Amino acid sequence: MFSMAGRREAQRVAKRKPQGKRVDFRRNRLRPARQKHWHVSSEEPEAHIEDAATWETVRHKGALSRKRTIVERAEEPPSADRSQLMRGTAIAVRGQYVEVDSGEKMWLCTVRRVLRTRLIRERHPVVAGDEVLFTPVAESTLNEGVIEEVLPRRTALHRSDGRRHHVIAANVDQVIVVSSIREPLIKEHLIDRYLVAVHAGGPEGIICINKADLDHEARIPEILERYLRIGYRALATSTATGQGIEELRSILAGKTTMLAGQSGVGKSSLINAVQPGLNLKTAHVSVATDKGRHTTTTAAWYRLDMGGAVIDTPGIRALDVAMIPLNELEMHFVEFLDKIPHCKFPNCVHIHEDGCAVKAAVEAGTIDPSRYESYVDMFVERSEQG
Ligand code: GDP
Ligand code: ZN
């Protein structure tokens, strides 16, 4: 467990006004905000060079003029030899600083300039969850270090805006798709979107329906059953009554988990119920309160006392499946898989073809109509995107 004082100090330093030179910010960065898409991939992501912004602090100076401040350290401390390097996990990236958890302590690290240049060139910035090797520089209240190496990723979770991919978190084992039954009202098709994106990438998808105390019409069991019967793990929770918290704890133990879901569904509350005091929001406070300045914190990684870790990402609004080839969409509906070979036409897309085994299964009640509807929605949307 990291020291809260160390973390606060790290946040304070990360908020420090950077000393650096200014360069003009190209106008083409001023495109209107695009819809963001999320995707999880086990392959190395093809991130765009704009991810280089991870190393920079971007200041908003109105719509017409934006300057980019690039921070450069006057001198870099020398590298330790390989045997002296320490290993840790990048837990958050703020501007040019990476918070690294070595297991016993938190370290505030910069990235060795030559590595930084290479990472930018290879479109592979450090993200939360990355395993890194670093040279310890100073050990006091604030431990500083310099990252020398980023170890290969097991998985990379990324977001796409349709043309570019931005890595948001690395080495995730499972994604818990959190919804609330009410406040905000559950969006059942959104669960399926998340599950498709997660399945496409490799980590296990788990369904969690929170705020079970607000389930006045007792709808949760039916929704959970929809997923349980096709092999997913699914649970109902309430941080108000404690329902499901033990089960959640056993799911989290020993794994690196990402919580995905709209803001307000109770992700932070759930984690705090599992491990009181681990306030997920902490990581974002400095970003939110640091008026005008926008640091590119994409996700934060938290070690759990019982083993394992949680990756928290800022609220996901629109999840999309734009990175999945249209003809592969069916593969991510796990209950379709044993039906597809029985469709009359080998290129059946299961929408208006005769002799479609998927549609037959929907009519026979073996495939849930709501799941099928999610498939059709996603298919139609993806075909319109071309
Ligand atoms: P996040 O944005 O997904 O991290 O959601 P938060 O954890 O910040 O929770 C949003 C709101 O929902 C807060 O006001 C919580 O107190 C409330 N909340 C969280 N879990 C529950 C629950 O199980 N039942 C009820 N009734 N409210 C909850
Ligand atoms: Zn079919």
Side-chain angles (χ1 to χ4, degrees), residues 251-279:
I251 288 171
L252 294 172
K255 295 278 172 60
T256 295
T257 306
M258 177 181 154
L259 295 183
Q262 289 179 286
S263 90
V265 296
K267 297 181 295 297
S268 326
S269 308
L270 285 168
I271 296 309
N272 287 320
V274 167
Q275 183 167 325
L278 187 71
N279 186 355

PDB file of all heavy atoms in Angstrom, residues 251-279:
ATOM      1  N   ILE A 251     -13.813 -11.664  -6.738  1.00  0.00           N
ATOM      2  CA  ILE A 251     -13.536 -11.507  -8.179  1.00  0.00           C
ATOM      3  C   ILE A 251     -12.265 -10.661  -8.384  1.00  0.00           C
ATOM      4  O   ILE A 251     -11.451 -10.932  -9.258  1.00  0.00           O
ATOM      5  CB  ILE A 251     -14.749 -10.859  -8.889  1.00  0.00           C
ATOM      6  CG1 ILE A 251     -15.902 -11.862  -8.972  1.00  0.00           C
ATOM      7  CG2 ILE A 251     -14.379 -10.338 -10.276  1.00  0.00           C
ATOM      8  CD1 ILE A 251     -17.226 -11.281  -9.455  1.00  0.00           C
ATOM      9  N   LEU A 252     -12.103  -9.654  -7.526  1.00  0.00           N
ATOM     10  CA  LEU A 252     -10.979  -8.724  -7.699  1.00  0.00           C
ATOM     11  C   LEU A 252      -9.642  -9.289  -7.218  1.00  0.00           C
ATOM     12  O   LEU A 252      -8.588  -8.908  -7.742  1.00  0.00           O
ATOM     13  CB  LEU A 252     -11.255  -7.430  -6.926  1.00  0.00           C
ATOM     14  CG  LEU A 252     -12.416  -6.568  -7.423  1.00  0.00           C
ATOM     15  CD1 LEU A 252     -12.683  -5.437  -6.442  1.00  0.00           C
ATOM     16  CD2 LEU A 252     -12.102  -5.996  -8.803  1.00  0.00           C
ATOM     17  N   ALA A 253      -9.698 -10.198  -6.242  1.00  0.00           N
ATOM     18  CA  ALA A 253      -8.461 -10.648  -5.590  1.00  0.00           C
ATOM     19  C   ALA A 253      -7.469 -11.231  -6.583  1.00  0.00           C
ATOM     20  O   ALA A 253      -7.801 -12.124  -7.368  1.00  0.00           O
ATOM     21  CB  ALA A 253      -8.801 -11.680  -4.508  1.00  0.00           C
ATOM     22  N   GLY A 254      -6.281 -10.691  -6.567  1.00  0.00           N
ATOM     23  CA  GLY A 254      -5.184 -11.249  -7.352  1.00  0.00           C
ATOM     24  C   GLY A 254      -5.192 -10.908  -8.845  1.00  0.00           C
ATOM     25  O   GLY A 254      -4.319 -11.348  -9.582  1.00  0.00           O
ATOM     26  N   LYS A 255      -6.164 -10.149  -9.293  1.00  0.00           N
ATOM     27  CA  LYS A 255      -6.247  -9.827 -10.724  1.00  0.00           C
ATOM     28  C   LYS A 255      -6.093  -8.324 -10.948  1.00  0.00           C
ATOM     29  O   LYS A 255      -6.332  -7.524 -10.048  1.00  0.00           O
ATOM     30  CB  LYS A 255      -7.632 -10.222 -11.262  1.00  0.00           C
ATOM     31  CG  LYS A 255      -7.925 -11.705 -11.227  1.00  0.00           C
ATOM     32  CD  LYS A 255      -7.302 -12.381 -12.431  1.00  0.00           C
ATOM     33  CE  LYS A 255      -7.367 -13.883 -12.389  1.00  0.00           C
ATOM     34  NZ  LYS A 255      -8.720 -14.413 -12.335  1.00  0.00           N
ATOM     35  N   THR A 256      -5.702  -7.954 -12.162  1.00  0.00           N
ATOM     36  CA  THR A 256      -5.752  -6.537 -12.527  1.00  0.00           C
ATOM     37  C   THR A 256      -7.062  -6.315 -13.267  1.00  0.00           C
ATOM     38  O   THR A 256      -7.326  -6.938 -14.296  1.00  0.00           O
ATOM     39  CB  THR A 256      -4.556  -6.140 -13.405  1.00  0.00           C
ATOM     40  OG1 THR A 256      -3.370  -6.290 -12.630  1.00  0.00           O
ATOM     41  CG2 THR A 256      -4.664  -4.680 -13.855  1.00  0.00           C
ATOM     42  N   THR A 257      -7.874  -5.486 -12.681  1.00  0.00           N
ATOM     43  CA  THR A 257      -9.245  -5.315 -13.161  1.00  0.00           C
ATOM     44  C   THR A 257      -9.476  -3.875 -13.582  1.00  0.00           C
ATOM     45  O   THR A 257      -9.052  -2.949 -12.898  1.00  0.00           O
ATOM     46  CB  THR A 257     -10.232  -5.635 -12.013  1.00  0.00           C
ATOM     47  OG1 THR A 257      -9.927  -6.935 -11.495  1.00  0.00           O
ATOM     48  CG2 THR A 257     -11.667  -5.599 -12.496  1.00  0.00           C
ATOM     49  N   MET A 258     -10.155  -3.713 -14.678  1.00  0.00           N
ATOM     50  CA  MET A 258     -10.599  -2.378 -15.017  1.00  0.00           C
ATOM     51  C   MET A 258     -12.098  -2.307 -14.790  1.00  0.00           C
ATOM     52  O   MET A 258     -12.816  -3.250 -15.083  1.00  0.00           O
ATOM     53  CB  MET A 258     -10.317  -2.081 -16.480  1.00  0.00           C
ATOM     54  CG  MET A 258     -10.851  -0.717 -16.841  1.00  0.00           C
ATOM     55  SD  MET A 258     -10.600  -0.299 -18.543  1.00  0.00           S
ATOM     56  CE  MET A 258     -11.948   0.843 -18.741  1.00  0.00           C
ATOM     57  N   LEU A 259     -12.544  -1.198 -14.214  1.00  0.00           N
ATOM     58  CA  LEU A 259     -13.970  -0.974 -14.066  1.00  0.00           C
ATOM     59  C   LEU A 259     -14.383  -0.050 -15.195  1.00  0.00           C
ATOM     60  O   LEU A 259     -13.822   1.019 -15.361  1.00  0.00           O
ATOM     61  CB  LEU A 259     -14.272  -0.307 -12.728  1.00  0.00           C
ATOM     62  CG  LEU A 259     -13.958  -1.110 -11.485  1.00  0.00           C
ATOM     63  CD1 LEU A 259     -14.371  -0.336 -10.248  1.00  0.00           C
ATOM     64  CD2 LEU A 259     -14.667  -2.445 -11.504  1.00  0.00           C
ATOM     65  N   ALA A 260     -15.356  -0.497 -15.970  1.00  0.00           N
ATOM     66  CA  ALA A 260     -15.842   0.341 -17.062  1.00  0.00           C
ATOM     67  C   ALA A 260     -17.304   0.635 -16.796  1.00  0.00           C
ATOM     68  O   ALA A 260     -18.006  -0.163 -16.187  1.00  0.00           O
ATOM     69  CB  ALA A 260     -15.689  -0.388 -18.395  1.00  0.00           C
ATOM     70  N   GLY A 261     -17.750   1.763 -17.239  1.00  0.00           N
ATOM     71  CA  GLY A 261     -19.161   2.087 -17.057  1.00  0.00           C
ATOM     72  C   GLY A 261     -19.341   3.582 -16.990  1.00  0.00           C
ATOM     73  O   GLY A 261     -18.411   4.321 -16.693  1.00  0.00           O
ATOM     74  N   GLN A 262     -20.551   3.997 -17.245  1.00  0.00           N
ATOM     75  CA  GLN A 262     -20.868   5.422 -17.237  1.00  0.00           C
ATOM     76  C   GLN A 262     -20.541   6.022 -15.888  1.00  0.00           C
ATOM     77  O   GLN A 262     -20.572   5.323 -14.876  1.00  0.00           O
ATOM     78  CB  GLN A 262     -22.370   5.601 -17.417  1.00  0.00           C
ATOM     79  CG  GLN A 262     -22.909   5.290 -18.762  1.00  0.00           C
ATOM     80  CD  GLN A 262     -24.407   5.511 -18.704  1.00  0.00           C
ATOM     81  OE1 GLN A 262     -25.139   4.716 -18.135  1.00  0.00           O
ATOM     82  NE2 GLN A 262     -24.844   6.607 -19.268  1.00  0.00           N
ATOM     83  N   SER A 263     -20.338   7.316 -15.850  1.00  0.00           N
ATOM     84  CA  SER A 263     -20.067   7.919 -14.555  1.00  0.00           C
ATOM     85  C   SER A 263     -21.371   7.959 -13.756  1.00  0.00           C
ATOM     86  O   SER A 263     -22.461   8.019 -14.325  1.00  0.00           O
ATOM     87  CB  SER A 263     -19.419   9.281 -14.727  1.00  0.00           C
ATOM     88  OG  SER A 263     -20.374  10.272 -14.798  1.00  0.00           O
ATOM     89  N   GLY A 264     -21.245   7.806 -12.459  1.00  0.00           N
ATOM     90  CA  GLY A 264     -22.420   7.837 -11.590  1.00  0.00           C
ATOM     91  C   GLY A 264     -23.010   6.473 -11.261  1.00  0.00           C
ATOM     92  O   GLY A 264     -23.890   6.372 -10.418  1.00  0.00           O
ATOM     93  N   VAL A 265     -22.513   5.420 -11.918  1.00  0.00           N
ATOM     94  CA  VAL A 265     -23.085   4.097 -11.650  1.00  0.00           C
ATOM     95  C   VAL A 265     -22.582   3.496 -10.332  1.00  0.00           C
ATOM     96  O   VAL A 265     -23.169   2.560  -9.808  1.00  0.00           O
ATOM     97  CB  VAL A 265     -22.844   3.105 -12.815  1.00  0.00           C
ATOM     98  CG1 VAL A 265     -23.558   3.576 -14.075  1.00  0.00           C
ATOM     99  CG2 VAL A 265     -21.370   2.886 -13.078  1.00  0.00           C
ATOM    100  N   GLY A 266     -21.477   4.046  -9.818  1.00  0.00           N
ATOM    101  CA  GLY A 266     -20.996   3.598  -8.506  1.00  0.00           C
ATOM    102  C   GLY A 266     -19.664   2.870  -8.522  1.00  0.00           C
ATOM    103  O   GLY A 266     -19.339   2.150  -7.577  1.00  0.00           O
ATOM    104  N   LYS A 267     -18.848   3.084  -9.542  1.00  0.00           N
ATOM    105  CA  LYS A 267     -17.563   2.393  -9.635  1.00  0.00           C
ATOM    106  C   LYS A 267     -16.666   2.720  -8.444  1.00  0.00           C
ATOM    107  O   LYS A 267     -16.117   1.828  -7.801  1.00  0.00           O
ATOM    108  CB  LYS A 267     -16.852   2.743 -10.949  1.00  0.00           C
ATOM    109  CG  LYS A 267     -17.609   2.300 -12.180  1.00  0.00           C
ATOM    110  CD  LYS A 267     -16.870   2.639 -13.471  1.00  0.00           C
ATOM    111  CE  LYS A 267     -16.707   4.122 -13.735  1.00  0.00           C
ATOM    112  NZ  LYS A 267     -17.978   4.850 -13.915  1.00  0.00           N
ATOM    113  N   SER A 268     -16.525   4.003  -8.150  1.00  0.00           N
ATOM    114  CA  SER A 268     -15.646   4.379  -7.029  1.00  0.00           C
ATOM    115  C   SER A 268     -16.218   3.877  -5.718  1.00  0.00           C
ATOM    116  O   SER A 268     -15.479   3.386  -4.859  1.00  0.00           O
ATOM    117  CB  SER A 268     -15.480   5.894  -6.935  1.00  0.00           C
ATOM    118  OG  SER A 268     -15.492   6.472  -8.192  1.00  0.00           O
ATOM    119  N   SER A 269     -17.535   3.973  -5.567  1.00  0.00           N
ATOM    120  CA  SER A 269     -18.156   3.509  -4.324  1.00  0.00           C
ATOM    121  C   SER A 269     -17.915   2.012  -4.130  1.00  0.00           C
ATOM    122  O   SER A 269     -17.676   1.555  -3.013  1.00  0.00           O
ATOM    123  CB  SER A 269     -19.664   3.756  -4.350  1.00  0.00           C
ATOM    124  OG  SER A 269     -19.937   5.100  -4.677  1.00  0.00           O
ATOM    125  N   LEU A 270     -17.971   1.248  -5.204  1.00  0.00           N
ATOM    126  CA  LEU A 270     -17.753  -0.198  -5.098  1.00  0.00           C
ATOM    127  C   LEU A 270     -16.334  -0.500  -4.631  1.00  0.00           C
ATOM    128  O   LEU A 270     -16.116  -1.335  -3.759  1.00  0.00           O
ATOM    129  CB  LEU A 270     -18.010  -0.880  -6.449  1.00  0.00           C
ATOM    130  CG  LEU A 270     -19.481  -1.022  -6.838  1.00  0.00           C
ATOM    131  CD1 LEU A 270     -19.610  -1.422  -8.304  1.00  0.00           C
ATOM    132  CD2 LEU A 270     -20.180  -2.051  -5.942  1.00  0.00           C
ATOM    133  N   ILE A 271     -15.377   0.192  -5.212  1.00  0.00           N
ATOM    134  CA  ILE A 271     -13.990  -0.056  -4.825  1.00  0.00           C
ATOM    135  C   ILE A 271     -13.759   0.372  -3.385  1.00  0.00           C
ATOM    136  O   ILE A 271     -13.065  -0.306  -2.629  1.00  0.00           O
ATOM    137  CB  ILE A 271     -13.020   0.673  -5.783  1.00  0.00           C
ATOM    138  CG1 ILE A 271     -13.160   0.104  -7.193  1.00  0.00           C
ATOM    139  CG2 ILE A 271     -11.582   0.552  -5.307  1.00  0.00           C
ATOM    140  CD1 ILE A 271     -13.073  -1.415  -7.251  1.00  0.00           C
ATOM    141  N   ASN A 272     -14.375   1.459  -3.010  1.00  0.00           N
ATOM    142  CA  ASN A 272     -14.223   1.897  -1.620  1.00  0.00           C
ATOM    143  C   ASN A 272     -14.902   0.941  -0.656  1.00  0.00           C
ATOM    144  O   ASN A 272     -14.479   0.807   0.485  1.00  0.00           O
ATOM    145  CB  ASN A 272     -14.730   3.325  -1.451  1.00  0.00           C
ATOM    146  CG  ASN A 272     -13.757   4.307  -2.092  1.00  0.00           C
ATOM    147  OD1 ASN A 272     -12.545   4.146  -1.989  1.00  0.00           O
ATOM    148  ND2 ASN A 272     -14.280   5.291  -2.793  1.00  0.00           N
ATOM    149  N   ALA A 273     -15.946   0.255  -1.119  1.00  0.00           N
ATOM    150  CA  ALA A 273     -16.596  -0.750  -0.272  1.00  0.00           C
ATOM    151  C   ALA A 273     -15.691  -1.963  -0.105  1.00  0.00           C
ATOM    152  O   ALA A 273     -15.651  -2.588   0.951  1.00  0.00           O
ATOM    153  CB  ALA A 273     -17.936  -1.161  -0.881  1.00  0.00           C
ATOM    154  N   VAL A 274     -14.950  -2.288  -1.147  1.00  0.00           N
ATOM    155  CA  VAL A 274     -14.033  -3.429  -1.096  1.00  0.00           C
ATOM    156  C   VAL A 274     -12.814  -3.084  -0.255  1.00  0.00           C
ATOM    157  O   VAL A 274     -12.349  -3.873   0.555  1.00  0.00           O
ATOM    158  CB  VAL A 274     -13.597  -3.830  -2.525  1.00  0.00           C
ATOM    159  CG1 VAL A 274     -12.422  -4.781  -2.498  1.00  0.00           C
ATOM    160  CG2 VAL A 274     -14.777  -4.446  -3.264  1.00  0.00           C
ATOM    161  N   GLN A 275     -12.306  -1.897  -0.460  1.00  0.00           N
ATOM    162  CA  GLN A 275     -11.130  -1.470   0.300  1.00  0.00           C
ATOM    163  C   GLN A 275     -11.313  -0.033   0.758  1.00  0.00           C
ATOM    164  O   GLN A 275     -10.938   0.898   0.045  1.00  0.00           O
ATOM    165  CB  GLN A 275      -9.861  -1.602  -0.547  1.00  0.00           C
ATOM    166  CG  GLN A 275      -8.625  -1.221   0.257  1.00  0.00           C
ATOM    167  CD  GLN A 275      -7.353  -1.625  -0.435  1.00  0.00           C
ATOM    168  OE1 GLN A 275      -7.289  -2.649  -1.097  1.00  0.00           O
ATOM    169  NE2 GLN A 275      -6.329  -0.824  -0.283  1.00  0.00           N
ATOM    170  N   PRO A 276     -11.896   0.130   1.939  1.00  0.00           N
ATOM    171  CA  PRO A 276     -12.157   1.489   2.415  1.00  0.00           C
ATOM    172  C   PRO A 276     -10.881   2.323   2.417  1.00  0.00           C
ATOM    173  O   PRO A 276      -9.807   1.815   2.740  1.00  0.00           O
ATOM    174  CB  PRO A 276     -12.677   1.272   3.841  1.00  0.00           C
ATOM    175  CG  PRO A 276     -13.194  -0.131   3.848  1.00  0.00           C
ATOM    176  CD  PRO A 276     -12.317  -0.894   2.896  1.00  0.00           C
ATOM    177  N   GLY A 277     -10.999   3.566   2.018  1.00  0.00           N
ATOM    178  CA  GLY A 277      -9.835   4.448   2.036  1.00  0.00           C
ATOM    179  C   GLY A 277      -9.154   4.555   0.690  1.00  0.00           C
ATOM    180  O   GLY A 277      -8.395   5.477   0.447  1.00  0.00           O
ATOM    181  N   LEU A 278      -9.437   3.607  -0.174  1.00  0.00           N
ATOM    182  CA  LEU A 278      -8.829   3.675  -1.497  1.00  0.00           C
ATOM    183  C   LEU A 278      -9.771   4.492  -2.361  1.00  0.00           C
ATOM    184  O   LEU A 278     -10.668   3.974  -2.996  1.00  0.00           O
ATOM    185  CB  LEU A 278      -8.677   2.269  -2.078  1.00  0.00           C
ATOM    186  CG  LEU A 278      -7.906   2.175  -3.385  1.00  0.00           C
ATOM    187  CD1 LEU A 278      -6.436   2.446  -3.159  1.00  0.00           C
ATOM    188  CD2 LEU A 278      -8.059   0.805  -4.005  1.00  0.00           C
ATOM    189  N   ASN A 279      -9.567   5.771  -2.326  1.00  0.00           N
ATOM    190  CA  ASN A 279     -10.505   6.634  -3.026  1.00  0.00           C
ATOM    191  C   ASN A 279     -10.086   6.851  -4.462  1.00  0.00           C
ATOM    192  O   ASN A 279      -9.167   7.578  -4.759  1.00  0.00           O
ATOM    193  CB  ASN A 279     -10.636   7.970  -2.283  1.00  0.00           C
ATOM    194  CG  ASN A 279     -11.715   8.820  -2.898  1.00  0.00           C
ATOM    195  OD1 ASN A 279     -12.295   8.460  -3.925  1.00  0.00           O
ATOM    196  ND2 ASN A 279     -11.999   9.941  -2.275  1.00  0.00           N
TER     197      ASN A 279
END
